[in-house]
Amino acid sequence: MTTAADGPEAGTVRMADYLAAELARAGVTHMFGVGGANIEDLYDAVHRGGTVRGVVAKHEFSAVTMADGYARTTRRLGVVAATSGGGAMNLVPGLAEAYASRVPLLALVGQPPTAQEGQGAFQDTSGKGDSFDAGEVFTPISRFCARVQDADSLVELLPRAMAAARTEPCGPAVLLLPKDVQQARIRLPDGHGPAPTGAIPAGGTTTPAGLPERAPSPSDAGIPAPTALPVPTALPVPSTRTAPVAQLDKAALAEVSDILRGADTVLVIAGEGVAAADARAELSRLARNLGAWVAVTPDAKDVFDNRDPRFAGVAGVMGHANVEHCLWRADVCLLVGTRLPLLARGGLERALADTDVVCLDSEKPFVAGTALVGDLREALRAVTGRIASGPRACPRHPGPVPTPVAGPEAPAGPGRIVPYSQALAAVEAALPEDAHVFVDAGNTGASAVHLLPAPRHGRFVVALGMGGMGYTFGAGIGAALATGRRTYVLAGDGAFFMHGAEVHTAVEHSAPVTFVVFNNNAHAMCALREEFLQGGVRDDDVFGRTDIAAGVAAAFPSLDVTGAQSAAHLREALLRGNTGAGPAFVALDCDPKEIPPFLPFQPFAEATGDADRAEHTDNKENADERRVVRAG
């Protein structure tokens, strides 16, 4: 390794330039993050290279979620870069979400120069000199974590990190990059081509790469390719999953196939793994051949056409009663691309215990059953090949009928409070079929998961790994910049006040994002829990009224901002936003006492209604004790 102080050596480039070029080789088009002294060399290299687009966020958590949204909508590796100290620590909740949700990310984290480690350096997290070790912080929430001690070791560590992120179970990989290592010079390995455009070669001048544009990859179907994307060598862009899962076990395949062949009625519950594996077509084909109903987990509404006659609804605590009814009628419950965590099985436990369960996934399920573990597309194709050919009609069923909820009366005319059902009907009417939808936590999330059908040709993403409020603001921007498609962010005011400042990022980059903020001036799900489960003796989570639309309009004069006064006004604003090239923002007022379609709240909604909910406080504790669901 040659340091910058030694002077440039012929045939070498800065390690930061090499890293930027390798990101381009891997098909990465955007790097999200927040700058700082100990990561500025990488940002400089990305800028000079001109291939990967650097996007500066307002907060590192949102930078991670931008990379997360990018990865979920493109099936490429999402990349985030941050500096040392507080910047590095702000990555933790976003990386935890990606770890729990199996999203492939690469986090490039700056560190103070190696000579300063243990010597009282500013933001020292080397584990030396009584500093804490950043590696010990990131290791539990990553699939791979390493400190790059010198530039030469990056040649070996970078491909290992990328492979770990994209190998099942997918998740974040973290590389800790000291500043002096980023500045050091590295000799290009054989086969890695010349320095990228704008890189600083020996002699301090720039040399054009003169390389061809990247050819589109099959995994890019429906996703606009970036303009003039040169790469150091003409390699195909890898999909998210690059390393094969273990070969399918023949005995397990035979057992699963026999169980399904012997079943008269089958309920499929499909999860996010179907989207991650790009296995929607294989899922649909197997469901047709089985004559099965298909339900989805709350974080996977888009993996099966919500308007298909086979669609049974959403499973779990935000779901539809029809799923439980179908499960009681089914001989077999087939899990596809889901381990069926609590939020997806809440309320179904008794029916699951009385039904044979079969699971196709890259990991074993959380419920007892017969599992075929391996590559999901391969498993679906193999099982389908063993089932009698030809589609079968599924048994008649009511479909995903919405659960009645207690809430405000529908206004007779224009009014300030808009019920969730009316607001989401307006969203459905305006939503383009190829749009992406990112749904945040809380009452807004529960209502949207239950009431809003997924677009036919876009993602419908709910981050349930950690369920962090404010995830959608960054994730929607990352998805919009990566794909160029109109992306809807549906969030409450609590999520907006956490990370809604990323609207600034959307404005700066003209991202085609429509932000819809349902403002009930409360952390309403928390407030309802306090009322139902703790006697309603405090109001910590209910706030004074804020005019979010007015505030955003004042901050961003060029942004299309609407304070919607009714569902019709909301729809009009959304349709107008669809026609623009950049972001749009709509806020509407909702009632904090409206009870969302959330299973733990149903006893209270049924017992109290709108007018007399307060009269039943004495029965709340007993009602809660009768429920089998504990969530949130």
Side-chain angles (χ1 to χ4, degrees):
M1 177 180 75
T2 304
T3 65
D6 295 329
E9 179 184 347
T12 65
V13 296
R14 287 185 305 172
M15 190 275 271
D17 291 312
Y18 169 79
L19 178 52
E22 289 301 294
L23 295 179
R25 271 172 50 89
V28 174
T29 59
H30 293 71
M31 182 181 79
F32 306 94
V34 179
N38 287 325
I39 200 66
E40 63 190 2
D41 296 282
L42 178 57
Y43 277 94
D44 178 68
V46 165
H47 174 74
R48 290 175 182 273
T51 298
V52 179
R53 180 180 178 184
V55 177
V56 175
K58 309 287 93 61
H59 191 281
E60 291 83 0
F61 169 77
S62 290
V64 181
T65 66
M66 288 178 192
D68 181 302
Y70 172 103
R72 293 198 204 214
T73 52
T74 66
R75 301 185 62 250
R76 292 175 176 171
L77 180 70
V79 177
V80 61
T83 194
S84 50
M89 295 302 101
N90 283 341
L91 298 173
V92 169
L95 294 179
E97 166 62 38
Y99 181 92
S101 292
R102 311 305 195 241
V103 179
L105 301 183
L106 175 64
L108 303 169
V109 185
Q111 297 285 278
T114 54
Q116 297 178 10
E117 293 176 353
Q119 302 300 314
F122 179 58
Q123 299 181 332
D124 186 4
T125 54
S126 65
K128 300 176 183 178
D130 203 31
S131 66
F132 72 89
D133 188 344
E136 294 183 358
V137 174
F138 290 117
T139 294
I141 53 172
S142 64
R143 304 299 176 187
F144 180 92
C145 181
R147 186 179 296 273
V148 182
Q149 300 291 355
D150 56 68
D152 294 328
S153 66
L154 182 74
V155 176
E156 182 257 337
L157 290 173
L158 181 60
R160 285 179 57 192
M162 289 182 170
R166 295 185 291 206
T167 301
E168 298 287 0
C170 295
V174 179
L175 290 177
L176 304 173
L177 305 170
K179 184 175 178 66
D180 57 318
V181 175
Q182 296 176 55
Q183 295 176 329
R185 306 197 70 83
I186 185 172
R187 188 174 297 278
L188 287 172
D190 292 341
H192 283 241
T197 302
I200 304 177
T205 59
T206 59
T207 304
L211 296 170
E213 295 182 14
R214 175 179 59 82
S217 164
S219 65
D220 297 339
I223 299 170
T227 307
L229 183 61
V231 294
T233 54
L235 296 177
V237 175
S239 66
T240 293
R241 274 68 176 159
T242 58
V245 188
Q247 290 285 325
L248 296 178
D249 181 86
K250 293 182 179 179
L253 173 59
E255 184 177 6
V256 164
S257 301
D258 289 344
I259 293 172
L260 292 173
R261 272 198 304 265
D264 290 327
T265 53
V266 176
L267 171 66
V268 174
I269 302 179
E272 166 67 13
V274 175
D278 193 21
R280 293 177 179 84
E282 288 81 2
L283 167 66
S284 181
R285 189 174 304 115
L286 178 57
R288 289 198 308 269
N289 285 6
L290 289 171
W293 303 297
V294 180
V296 295
T297 59
D299 58 347
K301 280 200 80 169
D302 60 308
V303 303
F304 192 80
D305 187 350
N306 293 186
R307 298 160 184 84
D308 190 291
R310 300 180 185 278
F311 184 61
V314 178
V317 298
M318 291 171 264
H320 301 96
N322 182 54
V323 176
E324 182 181 8
H325 298 157
C326 289
L327 183 56
W328 280 114
R329 294 169 60 189
D331 300 317
V332 173
C333 178
L334 171 61
L335 308 180
V336 179
T338 178
R339 304 175 72 190
L340 211 64
L342 177 61
L343 290 184
R345 70 175 187 270
L348 303 178
E349 290 91 340
R350 288 178 55 231
L352 283 166
D354 202 46
T355 307
D356 286 339
V357 175
V358 170
C359 180
L360 309 182
D361 194 34
S362 60
E363 300 177 80
K364 291 184 177 180
F366 291 117
V367 296
T370 304
L372 176 59
V373 177
D375 179 82
L376 185 58
R377 292 180 77 179
E378 181 183 347
L380 284 166
R381 290 168 178 170
V383 172
T384 301
R386 290 172 173 244
I387 302 296
S389 61
R392 293 168 48 195
C394 71
R396 293 173 62 87
H397 66 117
V401 178
T403 300
V405 296
E409 294 292 333
R416 295 209 56 83
I417 299 298
V418 183
Y420 281 104
S421 59
Q422 293 185 15
L424 290 166
V427 173
E428 179 183 358
L431 189 66
E433 288 199 344
D434 65 346
H436 300 305
V437 178
F438 285 78
V439 177
D440 221 293
N443 287 5
T444 298
S447 299
V449 167
H450 191 81
L451 296 171
L452 181 63
R456 278 194 169 93
H457 307 297
R459 291 300 325 268
F460 188 106
V461 177
V462 187
L464 295 181
M466 291 288 106
M469 291 172 64
Y471 160 89
T472 56
F473 289 92
I477 292 169
L481 291 177
T483 67
R485 298 189 193 179
R486 177 58 51 180
T487 300
Y488 276 43
V489 166
L490 308 182
D493 53 304
F496 171 79
F497 285 119
M498 287 191 178
H499 291 286
E502 295 303 335
V503 170
H504 181 276
T505 308
V507 172
E508 286 291 300
H509 291 270
S510 299
V513 183
T514 297
F515 300 96
V516 186
V517 175
F518 298 74
N519 181 16
N520 51 30
N521 297 292
H523 290 167
M525 184 167 281
C526 295
L528 289 173
R529 291 182 62 86
E530 289 156 12
E531 180 181 350
F532 293 153
L533 309 180
Q534 297 181 328
V537 296
R538 58 191 178 93
D539 58 1
D540 311 53
D541 286 299
V542 179
F543 316 123
R545 185 180 182 276
T546 55
D547 190 339
I548 292 176
V552 171
F556 305 104
S558 65
L559 180 62
D560 179 2
V561 179
T562 302
Q565 302 296 308
S566 65
H569 193 194
L570 170 62
R571 178 177 177 272
E572 176 187 336
L574 297 177
L575 289 171
R576 185 175 66 250
N578 292 346
T579 65
F585 189 98
V586 187
L588 62 150
D589 286 346
C590 300
D591 186 349
K593 292 186 177 296
E594 181 175 352
I595 303 175
F598 186 56
L599 188 58
F601 291 167
Q602 281 186 16
F604 309 109
E606 294 165 0
T608 65
D610 293 336
D612 62 352
R613 188 165 61 239
E615 297 177 9
H616 293 76
T617 53
D618 292 340
N619 297 326
K620 288 174 184 174
E621 183 175 356
N622 291 337
D624 181 60
E625 289 174 347
R626 290 195 295 269
R627 299 302 298 176
V628 298
V629 177
R630 298 288 188 272

